[in-house]
Amino acid sequence: LRKKIAVLGATGLVGQQFAWMLADHPYFEIEALAASDRSAGKRYGARLEHVVGGTVPGKLREFVVESIDPKSLAKRGVEIAFSALPSETAGSIETELANLGIAVFTNASAHRMDPDVPVIIPEANAEHIALVDSQRKRRPGFIVADSNCSVSGLVIALKPLMQFGLKDVTITTYQAVSGAGYPGEASLDVIGNIIPFIENEEGKVEKETRRILGTLSKGRIRDASFDINATCARVPVHYGHLESVVAELETCPDPREIVQTLRKFRGVPQKLLLPTAPLEPLIVKDDEYRPQPLLDSCAGTPERAAGMSVTVGRIAKKGRKLRFILLVHNTIRGAAGTSILNAELALKQKYL
Ligand SMILES: NC(=O)c1ccc[n+]([C@@H]2O[C@H](COP(=O)([O-])OP(=O)(O)OC[C@H]3O[C@@H](n4cnc5c(N)ncnc54)[C@H](OP(=O)(O)O)[C@@H]3O)[C@@H](O)[C@H]2O)c1
């Protein structure tokens, strides 16, 4: 029997991505598509101003968008809420849902720094899900967050490098406009331009990366100890955040060994054969002109995991410093896809 789920913020860019990926999911069944009062009462297929991917899956077109009513969702047997709400709105709604016994998998940053809310990118830190046990001492449901979209790609690439002694990370991002939601930046500000600042982004990248790659012990996360410096820019690209990374390692192997290490890397989702897990979390390109957002954002097999692989290229070494470029699909691996993977993990590990 599939579990009943609700998508919150279903009309936005991440919410649509959730709906598309959940429309025929083997474990989950959509019970409600919810958004603001602006959308409530309208048919989903007719409400969307900007349709991700160009079409709304047939079975979702006739859904009527609801406003968010946590008590009614609980009464209807909704066990899981996938949240794509703006952070300002998400905080209190997600808390209320968890207090009602619902498991919330969120993309909003509102609860990411709560000490007992795990921020999970499961290839990097699936074991942090044990923090759910601490939350359950204070409420029947729980919240599991996924990270900022740039961080999701970065931690998957850094995880297999930790064995070489990660000391310092410098990251520069080239982030797609869809990262700001719909309608996002004014077109006149961003077409033919680069904006060298994204509010609050650099701090999130630095904090969340160290938290995710940190260790869980006695119900608390101890952040990883490497230094990290982030610079984040918005570029006129639709989907896909490109990131230039320089990582200082205690011992930096030959780039060929790094390539092998990254190609061989598999995480818990691959071992558990979760439906949305990409077969290869990291795809390494030999071609110096890759990865590119247009060519590589949707990397990942099987079909359900398209957009879930992180593509890496331009691997080079200078002394103990390793340089590479990575690309992550911001609304799939950086948002909806990872939340779904987290819910699959929670189900498989009997937290649901
Ligand atoms: N875009 C990305 O790449 C990305 C990546 C990672 C994380 N995130 C995070 O994911 C969340 C969603 O981002 P997005 O890009 O999808 O934003 P978006 O396109 O602006 O969508 C926002 C959604 O929230 C709904 N909403 C807004 N105010 C509401 C309210 N007061 N009550 C109920 N629903 C409300 C909107 O409904 P209406 O249509 O009815 O207004 C819409 O469905 C944000 O927290 C964002 O930071 C985004």
PDB file of all heavy atoms in Angstrom, residues 287-304:
ATOM      1  N   ASP A 287      36.227  14.906 -21.057  1.00  0.00           N
ATOM      2  CA  ASP A 287      36.194  16.041 -21.989  1.00  0.00           C
ATOM      3  C   ASP A 287      36.343  17.360 -21.217  1.00  0.00           C
ATOM      4  O   ASP A 287      35.563  17.663 -20.315  1.00  0.00           O
ATOM      5  CB  ASP A 287      34.826  15.983 -22.710  1.00  0.00           C
ATOM      6  CG  ASP A 287      34.658  17.085 -23.740  1.00  0.00           C
ATOM      7  OD1 ASP A 287      35.470  18.036 -23.754  1.00  0.00           O
ATOM      8  OD2 ASP A 287      33.686  16.994 -24.517  1.00  0.00           O
ATOM      9  N   GLU A 288      37.373  18.152 -21.584  1.00  0.00           N
ATOM     10  CA  GLU A 288      37.662  19.413 -20.864  1.00  0.00           C
ATOM     11  C   GLU A 288      36.533  20.432 -20.982  1.00  0.00           C
ATOM     12  O   GLU A 288      36.479  21.401 -20.238  1.00  0.00           O
ATOM     13  CB  GLU A 288      38.954  20.059 -21.412  1.00  0.00           C
ATOM     14  CG  GLU A 288      40.220  19.240 -21.221  1.00  0.00           C
ATOM     15  CD  GLU A 288      40.827  19.409 -19.823  1.00  0.00           C
ATOM     16  OE1 GLU A 288      40.269  20.138 -19.004  1.00  0.00           O
ATOM     17  OE2 GLU A 288      41.872  18.779 -19.568  1.00  0.00           O
ATOM     18  N   TYR A 289      35.630  20.245 -21.948  1.00  0.00           N
ATOM     19  CA  TYR A 289      34.540  21.212 -22.138  1.00  0.00           C
ATOM     20  C   TYR A 289      33.280  20.819 -21.350  1.00  0.00           C
ATOM     21  O   TYR A 289      32.225  21.392 -21.561  1.00  0.00           O
ATOM     22  CB  TYR A 289      34.219  21.371 -23.625  1.00  0.00           C
ATOM     23  CG  TYR A 289      35.299  22.145 -24.348  1.00  0.00           C
ATOM     24  CD1 TYR A 289      36.383  21.489 -24.920  1.00  0.00           C
ATOM     25  CD2 TYR A 289      35.258  23.534 -24.419  1.00  0.00           C
ATOM     26  CE1 TYR A 289      37.394  22.189 -25.556  1.00  0.00           C
ATOM     27  CE2 TYR A 289      36.261  24.253 -25.040  1.00  0.00           C
ATOM     28  CZ  TYR A 289      37.329  23.577 -25.611  1.00  0.00           C
ATOM     29  OH  TYR A 289      38.316  24.292 -26.230  1.00  0.00           O
ATOM     30  N   ARG A 290      33.374  19.820 -20.514  1.00  0.00           N
ATOM     31  CA  ARG A 290      32.229  19.387 -19.703  1.00  0.00           C
ATOM     32  C   ARG A 290      32.632  19.470 -18.237  1.00  0.00           C
ATOM     33  O   ARG A 290      33.808  19.386 -17.932  1.00  0.00           O
ATOM     34  CB  ARG A 290      31.842  17.947 -20.072  1.00  0.00           C
ATOM     35  CG  ARG A 290      31.611  17.763 -21.543  1.00  0.00           C
ATOM     36  CD  ARG A 290      30.293  18.304 -22.033  1.00  0.00           C
ATOM     37  NE  ARG A 290      29.179  17.418 -21.733  1.00  0.00           N
ATOM     38  CZ  ARG A 290      28.802  16.354 -22.443  1.00  0.00           C
ATOM     39  NH1 ARG A 290      29.489  16.037 -23.521  1.00  0.00           N
ATOM     40  NH2 ARG A 290      27.760  15.634 -22.095  1.00  0.00           N
ATOM     41  N   PRO A 291      31.657  19.552 -17.306  1.00  0.00           N
ATOM     42  CA  PRO A 291      30.216  19.572 -17.540  1.00  0.00           C
ATOM     43  C   PRO A 291      29.718  20.955 -17.962  1.00  0.00           C
ATOM     44  O   PRO A 291      30.321  21.970 -17.650  1.00  0.00           O
ATOM     45  CB  PRO A 291      29.644  19.222 -16.166  1.00  0.00           C
ATOM     46  CG  PRO A 291      30.654  19.778 -15.196  1.00  0.00           C
ATOM     47  CD  PRO A 291      31.992  19.608 -15.861  1.00  0.00           C
ATOM     48  N   GLN A 292      28.576  20.933 -18.661  1.00  0.00           N
ATOM     49  CA  GLN A 292      27.883  22.169 -19.049  1.00  0.00           C
ATOM     50  C   GLN A 292      26.422  22.031 -18.621  1.00  0.00           C
ATOM     51  O   GLN A 292      25.826  20.967 -18.812  1.00  0.00           O
ATOM     52  CB  GLN A 292      27.908  22.345 -20.566  1.00  0.00           C
ATOM     53  CG  GLN A 292      29.268  22.617 -21.154  1.00  0.00           C
ATOM     54  CD  GLN A 292      29.186  22.830 -22.671  1.00  0.00           C
ATOM     55  OE1 GLN A 292      28.141  23.184 -23.209  1.00  0.00           O
ATOM     56  NE2 GLN A 292      30.298  22.613 -23.340  1.00  0.00           N
ATOM     57  N   PRO A 293      25.814  23.130 -18.129  1.00  0.00           N
ATOM     58  CA  PRO A 293      24.412  23.047 -17.715  1.00  0.00           C
ATOM     59  C   PRO A 293      23.488  22.500 -18.801  1.00  0.00           C
ATOM     60  O   PRO A 293      22.659  21.633 -18.538  1.00  0.00           O
ATOM     61  CB  PRO A 293      24.059  24.494 -17.352  1.00  0.00           C
ATOM     62  CG  PRO A 293      25.363  25.080 -16.917  1.00  0.00           C
ATOM     63  CD  PRO A 293      26.415  24.438 -17.784  1.00  0.00           C
ATOM     64  N   LEU A 294      23.659  22.962 -20.035  1.00  0.00           N
ATOM     65  CA  LEU A 294      22.739  22.521 -21.099  1.00  0.00           C
ATOM     66  C   LEU A 294      22.875  21.036 -21.408  1.00  0.00           C
ATOM     67  O   LEU A 294      21.908  20.377 -21.745  1.00  0.00           O
ATOM     68  CB  LEU A 294      23.008  23.305 -22.384  1.00  0.00           C
ATOM     69  CG  LEU A 294      22.201  24.575 -22.609  1.00  0.00           C
ATOM     70  CD1 LEU A 294      22.576  25.186 -23.958  1.00  0.00           C
ATOM     71  CD2 LEU A 294      20.702  24.307 -22.542  1.00  0.00           C
ATOM     72  N   LEU A 295      24.087  20.513 -21.278  1.00  0.00           N
ATOM     73  CA  LEU A 295      24.332  19.121 -21.683  1.00  0.00           C
ATOM     74  C   LEU A 295      24.214  18.127 -20.535  1.00  0.00           C
ATOM     75  O   LEU A 295      23.888  16.967 -20.759  1.00  0.00           O
ATOM     76  CB  LEU A 295      25.739  18.999 -22.297  1.00  0.00           C
ATOM     77  CG  LEU A 295      26.019  19.861 -23.533  1.00  0.00           C
ATOM     78  CD1 LEU A 295      27.464  19.669 -23.982  1.00  0.00           C
ATOM     79  CD2 LEU A 295      25.064  19.500 -24.668  1.00  0.00           C
ATOM     80  N   ASP A 296      24.500  18.576 -19.327  1.00  0.00           N
ATOM     81  CA  ASP A 296      24.719  17.594 -18.252  1.00  0.00           C
ATOM     82  C   ASP A 296      23.796  17.720 -17.039  1.00  0.00           C
ATOM     83  O   ASP A 296      23.893  16.901 -16.130  1.00  0.00           O
ATOM     84  CB  ASP A 296      26.187  17.691 -17.782  1.00  0.00           C
ATOM     85  CG  ASP A 296      27.157  17.396 -18.915  1.00  0.00           C
ATOM     86  OD1 ASP A 296      27.015  16.345 -19.551  1.00  0.00           O
ATOM     87  OD2 ASP A 296      28.039  18.237 -19.177  1.00  0.00           O
ATOM     88  N   SER A 297      22.912  18.729 -17.004  1.00  0.00           N
ATOM     89  CA  SER A 297      22.100  18.912 -15.788  1.00  0.00           C
ATOM     90  C   SER A 297      21.247  17.689 -15.475  1.00  0.00           C
ATOM     91  O   SER A 297      21.023  17.367 -14.314  1.00  0.00           O
ATOM     92  CB  SER A 297      21.170  20.120 -15.929  1.00  0.00           C
ATOM     93  OG  SER A 297      21.927  21.279 -15.836  1.00  0.00           O
ATOM     94  N   CYS A 298      20.730  17.051 -16.507  1.00  0.00           N
ATOM     95  CA  CYS A 298      19.786  15.934 -16.260  1.00  0.00           C
ATOM     96  C   CYS A 298      20.476  14.579 -16.228  1.00  0.00           C
ATOM     97  O   CYS A 298      19.843  13.547 -16.481  1.00  0.00           O
ATOM     98  CB  CYS A 298      18.662  15.955 -17.288  1.00  0.00           C
ATOM     99  SG  CYS A 298      17.585  17.363 -16.969  1.00  0.00           S
ATOM    100  N   ALA A 299      21.771  14.563 -15.876  1.00  0.00           N
ATOM    101  CA  ALA A 299      22.501  13.288 -15.835  1.00  0.00           C
ATOM    102  C   ALA A 299      21.929  12.389 -14.747  1.00  0.00           C
ATOM    103  O   ALA A 299      21.515  12.858 -13.685  1.00  0.00           O
ATOM    104  CB  ALA A 299      23.978  13.563 -15.549  1.00  0.00           C
ATOM    105  N   GLY A 300      21.931  11.099 -15.025  1.00  0.00           N
ATOM    106  CA  GLY A 300      21.494  10.122 -14.021  1.00  0.00           C
ATOM    107  C   GLY A 300      20.593   9.072 -14.609  1.00  0.00           C
ATOM    108  O   GLY A 300      19.671   9.389 -15.359  1.00  0.00           O
ATOM    109  N   THR A 301      20.885   7.814 -14.288  1.00  0.00           N
ATOM    110  CA  THR A 301      20.023   6.694 -14.663  1.00  0.00           C
ATOM    111  C   THR A 301      19.738   5.892 -13.409  1.00  0.00           C
ATOM    112  O   THR A 301      20.532   5.942 -12.472  1.00  0.00           O
ATOM    113  CB  THR A 301      20.692   5.760 -15.699  1.00  0.00           C
ATOM    114  OG1 THR A 301      21.982   5.409 -15.182  1.00  0.00           O
ATOM    115  CG2 THR A 301      20.819   6.385 -17.058  1.00  0.00           C
ATOM    116  N   PRO A 302      18.613   5.137 -13.342  1.00  0.00           N
ATOM    117  CA  PRO A 302      17.556   4.966 -14.340  1.00  0.00           C
ATOM    118  C   PRO A 302      16.747   6.253 -14.546  1.00  0.00           C
ATOM    119  O   PRO A 302      17.040   7.278 -13.927  1.00  0.00           O
ATOM    120  CB  PRO A 302      16.691   3.873 -13.712  1.00  0.00           C
ATOM    121  CG  PRO A 302      16.897   4.046 -12.232  1.00  0.00           C
ATOM    122  CD  PRO A 302      18.312   4.468 -12.062  1.00  0.00           C
ATOM    123  N   GLU A 303      15.716   6.161 -15.384  1.00  0.00           N
ATOM    124  CA  GLU A 303      14.981   7.352 -15.788  1.00  0.00           C
ATOM    125  C   GLU A 303      14.454   8.152 -14.589  1.00  0.00           C
ATOM    126  O   GLU A 303      14.482   9.374 -14.578  1.00  0.00           O
ATOM    127  CB  GLU A 303      13.815   6.932 -16.683  1.00  0.00           C
ATOM    128  CG  GLU A 303      13.358   8.064 -17.576  1.00  0.00           C
ATOM    129  CD  GLU A 303      12.188   7.644 -18.439  1.00  0.00           C
ATOM    130  OE1 GLU A 303      12.104   6.441 -18.785  1.00  0.00           O
ATOM    131  OE2 GLU A 303      11.364   8.514 -18.747  1.00  0.00           O
ATOM    132  N   ARG A 304      13.983   7.439 -13.551  1.00  0.00           N
ATOM    133  CA  ARG A 304      13.479   8.128 -12.361  1.00  0.00           C
ATOM    134  C   ARG A 304      14.559   8.990 -11.704  1.00  0.00           C
ATOM    135  O   ARG A 304      14.244   9.931 -10.970  1.00  0.00           O
ATOM    136  CB  ARG A 304      12.947   7.082 -11.371  1.00  0.00           C
ATOM    137  CG  ARG A 304      12.438   7.622 -10.065  1.00  0.00           C
ATOM    138  CD  ARG A 304      11.736   6.583  -9.236  1.00  0.00           C
ATOM    139  NE  ARG A 304      10.535   6.075  -9.845  1.00  0.00           N
ATOM    140  CZ  ARG A 304       9.397   6.752  -9.971  1.00  0.00           C
ATOM    141  NH1 ARG A 304       9.319   7.976  -9.521  1.00  0.00           N
ATOM    142  NH2 ARG A 304       8.355   6.220 -10.547  1.00  0.00           N
TER     143      ARG A 304
END
